[in-house]
Amino acid sequence: METQILPINSGSLELAKNIITGGDLVAFPTETVYGLGANALNDDAVKLIYATKGRPSDNPLIVHVHKDFDISELVTDIPDYAKLLAKAFLPGPLTMVYKSRGIVCPTVSCGLDTLAVRVPSHEGAQAFLNYVGLPIAAPSANISKHVSPVTARHVFDDFNGKIRLILDGGKCTGGIESTVLDCTGAVPCVLRSGLVTRDMVAQVAGECDEYHMVEGERVRSPGMKYKHYSPRCRTALFDYAHRFDALREYRESLARGEKPYIMCDEQVAADMEDAKILNLGRGENEVAANLYDKLREGERVADIIIAVAPLKQDGVMVGVMNRLTKACG
Ligand code: TXA
Ligand code: MG
């Protein structure tokens, strides 16, 4: 199968619609990462997502809808705080989990009675969702466990020959996956941290909990239990206080004849002397936007990525640290 990468225009949207209604997959950009989409009403198409990614069959998918789509067609029991949150943050990088009406096929939620719904803000995503006119189930468009894709090229690297179309909407500006928020309780609860932070939710909703996985307990967001975001090279992770140990590790690796790189933000880079750097930039939003791109660059050029955590660890950095720990910890 030939994999086409096309800019988003009337021709590629028509092709995308034909592919989706025909039960096949289309990769598309969002403001967070690229998604691998299928018609959420077609069980075989949704199963194809799992097969193509090699995704565990108990890790549910997010349904993506156009901004004018009435989500009460798909879900029920929408609490008042969720309406406020939707008004404040949608379209945008916030996924909200509600009680499902059972309209989308059961494979999307892996048999759970809830459904995760997302309204992406990316113009290309909106054009795609609007043109196709169907709820689209989509995980990140990477082979399961690999680093999520933030460019069309990243998607191509994972799925060349396996999918027919990648809609190219440029580099994703957000860079880490959406915040997943459980809206089935009296108080919203962050299941996966992202660009819409717990504080931002609490400011609108009054309060916000955060879920932490407890060993031996049933996980509320099944995706959390899996290894994720792994670059295909060796990795190490140091906290900010131990950044000079990272530099020592770099020098030892170099002395063994390897190609090590240090991955860090601008502030840490200033302390890394002449070491080769995968630079994440400055500030939480820039670091989030660069993280997956630099992990994918690192796996191409390095034998080992030696990551150093930024000093600041609150706000958006909660989400960044969550990914960095899973990728390099
Ligand atoms: O930014 C994003 O969210 C991207 C883009 C493509 O939209 N998508 C994405 O999908 O990251 P994925 O499949 O890689 O992650 C979906 C996450 C998983 O952690 C999954 O467990 C959780 O959402 N999830 C999905 N449905 C759920 C549900 N009904 N209840 C709890 N968690 C759910
Ligand atoms: Mg993913």
Side-chain angles (χ1 to χ4, degrees):
M1 177 190 307
E2 195 207 342
T3 301
Q4 280 188 285
I5 303 179
L6 297 177
I8 300 172
N9 55 36
S10 54
S12 62
L13 288 173
E14 182 63 25
L15 178 59
K17 185 175 181 171
N18 287 337
I19 292 173
I20 292 290
T21 52
D24 229 319
L25 310 181
V26 170
F28 63 99
T30 81
E31 70 279 18
T32 58
V33 302
Y34 275 71
L36 184 62
N39 177 1
L41 307 177
N42 178 337
D43 206 51
D44 287 335
V46 175
K47 283 186 178 134
L48 193 56
I49 294 179
Y50 286 88
T52 306
K53 275 189 63 118
R55 183 181 179 97
S57 61
D58 63 348
N59 188 5
L61 305 174
I62 297 169
V63 165
H64 297 66
V65 295
H66 180 253
K67 63 177 167 35
D68 298 327
F69 191 96
D70 178 8
I71 66 156
S72 66
E73 283 179 28
L74 303 180
V75 297
T76 178
D77 298 359
I78 301 174
D80 288 338
Y81 69 75
K83 290 174 190 153
L84 294 174
L85 290 168
K87 209 164 172 205
F89 299 117
L90 300 187
L94 176 66
T95 295
M96 299 164 85
V97 176
Y98 300 107
K99 190 167 177 358
S100 177
R101 283 193 189 275
I103 306 287
V104 307
C105 58
T107 314
V108 171
S109 288
C110 305
L112 298 171
D113 61 359
T114 53
L115 183 68
V117 184
R118 164 152 151 69
V119 187
S121 62
H122 191 290
E123 239 179 73
Q126 281 292 320
F128 167 65
L129 294 166
N130 191 33
Y131 198 86
V132 173
L134 289 164
I136 297 291
S140 50
N142 52 277
I143 297 285
S144 190
K145 301 184 184 64
H146 195 207
V147 179
S148 295
V150 294
T151 65
R153 179 72 214 190
H154 293 161
V155 181
F156 187 83
D157 288 343
D158 279 19
F159 292 117
N160 181 20
K162 301 202 177 86
I163 60 174
R164 282 172 58 197
L165 176 62
I166 302 167
L167 293 173
D168 188 348
K171 189 179 171 201
C172 305
T173 52
I176 59 173
E177 300 84 349
S178 62
T179 305
V180 178
L181 192 71
D182 185 347
C183 298
T184 62
V187 173
C189 178
V190 173
L191 301 178
R192 177 177 73 183
S193 47
L195 297 173
V196 176
T197 64
R198 180 184 180 179
D199 279 352
M200 288 161 72
V201 172
Q203 266 180 26
V204 174
E207 43 185 333
C208 180
D209 292 336
E210 187 165 13
Y211 174 70
H212 295 282
M213 204 163 54
V214 180
E215 201 70 46
E217 222 179 64
R218 198 178 68 87
V219 274
R220 272 169 68 182
S221 189
M224 293 180 80
K225 67 177 187 245
Y226 292 107
K227 190 168 162 55
H228 268 117
Y229 322 117
S230 308
R232 291 169 177 156
C233 64
R234 281 158 47 226
T235 57
L237 176 60
F238 291 83
D239 58 28
Y240 179 84
H242 291 91
R243 60 197 181 285
F244 293 107
D245 294 334
L247 187 57
R248 191 171 320 122
E249 171 101 11
Y250 174 89
R251 300 226 182 281
E252 285 169 12
S253 168
L254 208 58
R256 286 193 297 270
E258 299 170 352
K259 279 187 283 177
Y261 276 73
I262 290 180
M263 190 175 79
C264 61
D265 68 1
E266 292 264 328
Q267 186 181 12
V268 174
D271 287 331
M272 294 297 109
E273 302 176 4
D274 58 347
K276 285 201 172 129
I277 302 290
L278 296 160
N279 197 330
L280 297 172
R282 185 199 305 264
E284 56 182 16
N285 288 306
E286 201 174 309
V287 168
N290 287 326
L291 181 66
Y292 291 147
D293 196 33
K294 291 298 168 187
L295 283 170
R296 281 190 179 243
E297 184 186 333
E299 71 179 4
R300 271 192 289 113
V301 298
D303 293 319
I304 179 168
I305 298 173
I306 302 167
V308 183
L311 174 60
K312 183 178 176 308
Q313 307 244 320
D314 59 345
V316 171
M317 281 302 177
V318 175
V320 171
M321 282 309 300
N322 166 280
R323 274 67 169 192
L324 195 57
T325 309
K326 285 183 177 171
C328 298

